[in-house]
Amino acid sequence: MISIERSMQAWKILLDALEDEQDSILSLLVILEKSRILLTALVPNYLQFARPGFDQ
């Protein structure tokens, strides 16, 4: 989930910077958002998961 969210943030920055590529970038953002929604449905309590060595 972290990688999806970070990827979306990066693509949103590029969306503003690369006007000629907006359609392609928007398509990628849609795929990432759908993936995020599906992953949230599959693992609804992912925010409560503590990664040893990272979140503790």
Side-chain angles (χ1 to χ4, degrees):
M1 186 64 74
I2 293 170
S3 62
I4 292 173
E5 291 169 353
R6 288 183 180 174
S7 183
M8 289 179 74
Q9 290 171 354
W11 281 113
K12 287 176 183 177
I13 291 169
L14 290 173
L15 181 65
D16 293 334
L18 303 172
E19 293 182 13
D20 294 343
E21 300 296 329
Q22 285 189 348
D23 290 341
S24 298
I25 293 171
L26 287 172
S27 295
L28 288 170
L29 284 168
V30 167
I31 291 168
L32 287 167
E33 178 63 13
K34 286 181 181 179
S35 298
R36 189 189 67 75
I37 291 169
L38 287 172
L39 187 56
T40 301
L42 288 171
V43 188
N45 296 321
Y46 79 92
L47 288 174
Q48 285 77 34
F49 179 75
R51 299 170 299 161
F54 291 100
D55 299 323
Q56 297 176 346

